[in-house]
Amino acid sequence: MDSKIRSLVKKLTLEEKVSLCSGSDFWHTKEIERLQIPSVMVSDGPSGLRKQDPRSGIREVNNSIESVCFPAAVNLAASFDTDLVRTVGEAIGDECQAENVAAILAPGCNIKRSPLCGRNFEYYSEDPYLSGKTAAAYIKGVQSKGVGTSLKHFCANNQEFRRNSYDSRMDERTLREIYLKGFEIAVKESSPWTVMCAYNMVNGIQMSENKRLLTDILRKEWGFEGIVVSDWGAVRDRVKGIAAGLDLEMPGSGGTYDRLVIEAVRNKELAEEDLDACVERILDFVFKAAMNHDEGATWDKGKHHSLVRDIAGECMVLLKNENRVLPIKGSDYILLVGGFAKNPRYQGGGSSHIRSGNIDSLLIGYQWNSKLIYEEGFSALDDKYDKARFERAVAAARDVDKVIVFAGLPESYESEGYDRKHMDLPQVQNDLIDAIAAINRNVIVVLENGSPVTMPWADKVEGILETYLSGEGVGVATALALSGKVNPSGRLPETIPLRLEDNPSYLNFAGDSSVIDYREGIFVGYRYYSRKKMPVRFPFGHGLSYSTFSYGMMTTDADKMLDNETLEVTVDVINESDVPGKEVVQLYVEADIPNTRIRRAVRELKGFCKVFLDAHERKAVSFILDKSAFAYYDEELSDWYVEPGDYRIEICRNADEVIMYKTVTVTPKKPKKPVYDENSVYKDIMEDSRAARIAKPFYEKHLGSTEVFGEHPEDSLADMTIRSVVNLGFGDFSYEEMSELINRLNGRKED
Ligand code: BGC
């Protein structure tokens, strides 16, 4: 820490120090005039800047200035394009800089455990690698403008039900591999200025008091150097919080906790050094923000609006395109149906809600085809039936070439603060799609929603375009994608299951208790569906294009490696079509280790790269893989470990479809030494050649005892512990001899 900051802390009174550790109001840190410590402002995120209008009253926290609404987090993840995400981050950073906002309260990096989480639109993916890489790109973009970010909600905040208090319970491997991994990648790759601790508990400990996560893992293991800020109102006991590494309480609980902290320091319940450490970090943040503030900065609303229009199509996922029903041709006579064409859903609800003054509805954006009629069919604002409206739409569908239905979730269906009750679209929408598909073969469904919906009509329609929540340029961007002026190149950042009941968290999501057991463990999203060989509507990573891509040669620069080495993988991608487009090259790793005792997903995403290819162009794409591509979290070692063996490096179309692979053998530099005790079993000992040699005489003696071990002693012994063998051995072996054997198995030198 800067020595100037240290000496400044020495000049502060206890009361001043404590005061700095909470907000002065909803959005500001406190000022200390006598020492020229300024107050700085933070604002939400993530899909744009939600800054409270300075002219509004202290309680009018939702009265925001007008800013640009960018595509939601789910869209950014669907782009599979870290350059695009970074560009969005830069634009948001520009807005923050010009509006004198020190840090934006974004991005959210929580895992989509269930399609029902009310905030799924604000999160990236069911996959931690994609989440972490996308978050890192966003953070790099914003912070390149001298503005901080707040990586949130750390961690395991995966539902809105009892969101302030529930306890996410899971084993250490699940925590490390799934719920921490995205945060770990983002912290290590992009050094966010702040991390926001979540409302919930993790394994019984409130996140705002969780020393293990806030200090031992976040700071000591990952090297985080910024401040930990509480989610708004997430503090339960700030004395414990400060000791755990929580720096800034927001908004500030009207000073209630300040008094308690002062008392705790005076009574020596809280070490003053712990408080000082928080104050030093807060001052570092405040001065960094002040130093980086550019008084003359401006931003261009029109430019950012165009940016949204340009990029939104790149995040759209073309789920189905039978008989090349899309793109729409100029000669097609089209019926547009659905309230979403008029009142598009382009953002989610809650703290991320942007006050945008410039929303393109599809009808405004509709300049690509003059032969168009429109029937509302159903409203975008609710789920009510209107018989006359419904029937008019069906009747109009008879005489047109193609029908495009704009379906989606009404705003009230998904928001921060509550979870969805089911995964379905309003029934009126499903019924209307069915009715229209019964009379017109060329139906295209365009979806506007923040998280997956069931699609009972999927086999009856020709085209499905998932646009998620595209931001304020939604109408034009959708028109461009439908007409082929933009080639949609998004891929699903989550699985779309056939039905909610298939989701691995189904039996343990939300429910009636505050204790949420993450019983599915590491098998979240595609990790579960592929292991179970379960059919899904659309797999993770799926997405079509108006171009046709194929793959050429795949090479690796080695076929054997140690886990402290890296591996370069190169693959050729070819655009076989006349249509320029972007392909997402997806690299997964699959362990090919017979008899492994490690339960793993079939394959895991370990690399992706979006690449533009002109008509008939060919390009080589390379990836560098390191230990993290092969390792699992080993609870015995309390560390990441690469099981020795073969691994397939797979280039895939999506999580279910392998295009080509190469096998490499990976060996850990420091192989794990097995530890034996009286509960070690025969099979394990025999698999370790050194141990097998030592234990052979012991087992030979017992294998002869067919009376005890049956006709097939090898089989009956397989899972038997050393202790049981001794116990069943008619006193042939003593416990002393057993201890001697265990000592030798564990590595006495002469063995
Ligand atoms: C949300 C945060 C948000 C904060 C400030 C909380 O309720 O969980 O994501 O940044 O409010 O609006």
Side-chain angles (χ1 to χ4, degrees):
M1 193 61 60
D2 195 319
S3 62
K4 274 197 211 131
I5 287 184
R6 283 230 172 89
S7 65
L8 190 56
V9 173
K10 291 209 177 83
K11 293 186 191 143
L12 291 163
T13 65
L14 175 61
E15 287 75 8
E16 284 171 335
K17 285 195 278 195
V18 172
S19 82
L20 282 172
C21 296
S22 63
S24 67
D25 62 12
F26 226 72
W27 308 114
H28 291 89
T29 62
K30 294 204 189 95
E31 178 188 18
I32 296 187
E33 228 183 319
R34 78 174 179 94
L35 293 171
Q36 280 132 43
I37 298 171
S39 152
V40 298
M41 181 176 200
V42 295
S43 290
D44 279 306
S47 43
L49 172 62
R50 186 179 76 112
K51 180 189 172 184
Q52 185 180 343
D53 190 326
R55 292 163 304 185
S56 55
I58 189 165
R59 283 168 204 274
E60 293 174 279
V61 294
N62 293 326
N63 185 16
S64 318
I65 60 163
E66 218 175 88
S67 63
V68 167
C69 180
F70 290 87
V74 59
N75 296 61
L76 298 187
S79 76
F80 273 73
D81 183 347
T82 48
D83 291 340
L84 177 148
V85 179
R86 194 187 156 117
T87 308
V88 169
E90 285 166 2
I92 294 175
D94 279 337
E95 294 187 25
C96 292
Q97 185 57 269
E99 297 295 342
N100 199 5
V101 168
I104 187 149
L105 304 172
C109 194
N110 296 97
I111 290 295
K112 299 183 204 232
R113 180 175 173 244
S114 160
L116 296 187
C117 172
R119 288 186 98 167
N120 273 358
F121 66 89
E122 242 186 289
Y123 299 142
Y124 293 128
S125 176
E126 66 188 24
D127 178 79
Y129 180 81
L130 178 60
S131 298
K133 290 282 176 184
T134 313
Y138 182 101
I139 293 167
K140 284 184 203 162
V142 173
Q143 294 192 170
S144 71
K145 301 297 178 167
V147 170
T149 52
S150 198
L151 179 64
K152 67 191 187 182
H153 307 91
F154 186 67
C155 66
N157 183 271
N158 312 97
Q159 64 182 47
E160 291 299 279
F161 174 78
R162 301 202 179 178
R163 70 171 181 148
N164 293 157
S165 55
Y166 72 88
D167 183 10
S168 306
R169 302 243 173 167
M170 69 191 81
D171 58 77
E172 184 67 10
R173 184 175 167 208
T174 301
L175 181 66
R176 295 286 190 155
E177 290 188 19
I178 306 293
Y179 296 96
L180 286 180
K181 192 69 194 171
F183 287 98
E184 179 181 355
I185 293 173
V187 165
K188 288 183 173 166
E189 287 190 9
S190 62
S191 309
W193 289 11
T194 87
V195 164
M196 187 188 293
C197 81
Y199 284 128
N200 51 289
M201 297 190 225
V202 173
N203 290 333
I205 303 175
Q206 202 77 43
M207 269 314 299
S208 53
E209 298 163 17
N210 204 316
K211 179 163 182 300
R212 179 157 184 265
L213 284 158
L214 299 185
T215 297
D216 301 344
I217 294 181
L218 177 66
R219 290 203 163 94
K220 295 193 181 148
E221 263 185 46
W222 300 349
F224 174 65
E225 289 183 340
I227 61 167
V228 174
V229 46
S230 75
D231 197 347
W232 269 229
V235 170
R236 191 169 72 171
D237 179 334
R238 193 140 71 85
V239 175
K240 282 193 190 155
I242 289 175
L246 167 73
D247 301 307
L248 180 64
E249 181 199 3
M250 286 305 285
S253 61
T256 312
Y257 284 120
D258 286 10
R259 286 191 289 281
L260 298 177
V261 176
I262 292 169
E263 257 169 53
V265 174
R266 290 210 174 113
N267 302 337
K268 311 245 174 288
E269 269 168 52
L270 175 68
E272 193 155 356
E273 303 84 74
D274 286 348
L275 173 66
D276 288 356
C278 294
V279 177
E280 282 173 15
R281 289 189 290 253
I282 290 170
L283 290 179
D284 185 54
F285 164 70
V286 166
F287 286 116
K288 184 155 65 178
M291 242 172 51
N292 278 286
H293 177 55
D294 172 2
E295 199 49 52
T298 54
W299 67 283
D300 184 335
K301 226 177 244 179
K303 227 166 108 185
H304 287 186
H305 184 76
S306 310
L307 175 66
V308 178
R309 282 182 173 176
D310 290 347
I311 60 168
E314 307 247 330
C315 309
M316 292 178 185
V317 190
L318 183 59
L319 294 176
K320 183 170 181 187
N321 194 17
E322 290 294 300
N323 303 315
R324 297 194 175 267
V325 68
L326 287 174
I328 298 293
K329 293 182 207 60
S331 54
D332 288 337
Y333 190 25
I334 297 164
L335 167 68
L336 290 189
V337 173
F340 290 86
K342 212 169 54 180
N343 295 309
R345 194 66 217 294
Y346 60 96
Q347 68 168 329
S351 61
S352 68
H353 200 271
I354 300 299
R355 200 176 133 227
S356 156
N358 188 10
I359 299 128
D360 300 338
S361 87
L362 184 88
L363 295 177
I364 297 171
Y366 183 80
Q367 291 136 354
W368 37 280
N369 188 306
S370 53
K371 290 151 85 185
L372 166 121
I373 51 171
Y374 173 67
E375 281 296 340
E376 189 169 8
F378 53 80
S379 162
L381 309 176
D382 57 40
D383 47 16
K384 297 200 180 77
Y385 261 92
D386 178 324
K387 197 162 173 281
R389 199 162 57 181
F390 187 99
E391 283 172 358
R392 266 201 311 276
V394 179
R398 247 173 240 291
D399 305 318
V400 292
D401 296 325
K402 290 177 183 170
V403 184
I404 311 180
V405 184
F406 282 80
L409 293 175
E411 202 164 359
S412 62
Y413 270 50
E414 53 184 346
S415 166
E416 174 177 345
Y418 52 90
D419 295 315
R420 285 200 292 165
K421 295 185 182 56
H422 54 75
M423 218 183 106
D424 305 326
L425 289 171
Q427 194 55 39
V428 59
Q429 299 187 26
N430 285 336
D431 288 350
L432 187 59
I433 297 169
D434 273 343
I436 290 177
I439 55 170
N440 191 316
R441 277 189 313 125
N442 297 321
V443 179
I444 297 143
V445 178
V446 175
L447 288 166
E448 292 180 2
N449 49 309
S451 47
V453 292
T454 55
M455 302 179 202
W457 33 258
D459 295 334
K460 300 180 194 161
V461 301
E462 294 272 286
I464 307 174
L465 181 68
E466 174 59 84
T467 70
Y468 285 118
L469 303 171
S470 291
E472 63 180 49
V474 54
V476 172
T478 310
L480 293 173
L482 289 171
S483 63
K485 295 205 174 81
V486 165
N487 191 348
S489 56
R491 301 290 182 264
L492 284 178
E494 59 199 340
T495 311
I496 303 187
L498 284 167
R499 32 176 220 153
L500 177 65
E501 290 82 345
D502 293 346
N503 177 262
S505 75
Y506 180 70
L507 294 174
N508 302 294
F509 179 76
D512 51 7
S513 151
S514 297
V515 176
I516 310 295
D517 282 313
Y518 285 42
R519 294 219 172 106
E520 68 283 6
I522 59 161
F523 295 99
V524 175
Y526 70 86
R527 286 168 166 75
Y528 174 80
Y529 300 115
S530 53
R531 186 85 274 170
K532 292 272 291 186
K533 297 195 169 79
M534 194 180 257
V536 295
R537 180 67 72 196
F538 294 109
F540 173 90
H542 170 71
L544 307 171
S545 163
Y546 298 145
S547 316
T548 311
F549 301 107
S550 71
Y551 285 80
M553 263 243 296
M554 174 182 182
T555 54
T556 54
D557 65 351
D559 50 17
K560 283 188 182 55
M561 67 184 276
L562 286 173
D563 68 350
N564 61 341
E565 295 169 341
T566 56
L567 181 79
E568 185 169 0
V569 182
T570 306
V571 63
D572 277 357
V573 203
I574 306 130
N575 182 354
E576 303 281 5
S577 70
D578 297 331
V579 187
K582 289 186 178 174
E583 167 70 326
V584 175
V585 185
Q586 300 174 42
L587 185 153
Y588 295 74
V589 173
E590 175 173 349
D592 185 13
I593 305 175
N595 305 325
T596 178
R597 262 172 273 132
I598 313 304
R599 277 178 220 265
R600 297 177 91 130
V602 174
R603 62 184 60 88
E604 294 183 333
L605 182 74
K606 296 296 178 183
F608 61 89
C609 174
K610 197 170 214 178
V611 55
F612 172 78
L613 294 157
D614 230 325
H616 303 283
E617 195 182 1
R618 181 188 192 111
K619 270 186 191 158
V621 172
S622 292
F623 300 89
I624 303 285
L625 301 185
D626 62 14
K627 176 176 174 178
S628 64
F630 307 99
Y632 70 96
Y633 191 83
D634 187 300
E635 294 196 13
E636 279 169 12
L637 291 177
S638 297
D639 203 354
W640 296 92
Y641 183 67
V642 176
E643 192 184 11
D646 287 350
Y647 291 83
R648 287 182 183 184
I649 317 293
E650 300 171 337
I651 298 296
C652 296
R653 274 239 193 263
N654 54 57
D656 275 353
E657 203 185 325
V658 180
I659 302 167
M660 53 177 66
Y661 70 88
K662 285 218 128 218
T663 301
V664 287
T665 308
V666 190
T667 311
K669 178 99 195 302
K670 270 201 224 142
K672 185 175 164 182
K673 244 182 95 194
V675 177
Y676 296 102
D677 61 19
E678 57 270 45
N679 276 344
S680 299
V681 300
Y682 175 78
K683 190 169 63 184
D684 293 350
I685 295 171
M686 288 304 126
E687 272 175 19
D688 171 352
S689 56
R690 185 187 152 274
R693 182 172 44 79
I694 295 167
K696 211 168 151 221
F698 169 83
Y699 284 113
E700 267 171 3
K701 195 161 169 185
H702 288 80
L703 280 172
S705 271
T706 41
E707 296 88 350
V708 179
F709 297 111
E711 286 306 312
H712 305 285
E714 288 269 354
D715 291 338
S716 12
L717 260 179
D719 291 313
M720 200 174 276
T721 60
I722 305 180
R723 178 173 45 79
S724 303
V725 173
V726 173
N727 289 346
L728 297 171
F730 299 104
D732 287 353
F733 263 104
S734 66
Y735 267 75
E736 286 71 28
E737 280 169 300
M738 178 174 78
S739 310
E740 164 73 8
L741 172 66
I742 292 167
N743 281 341
R744 290 182 61 208
L745 290 175
N746 283 333
R748 232 174 43 188
K749 281 206 183 71
E750 58 268 32
D751 296 311

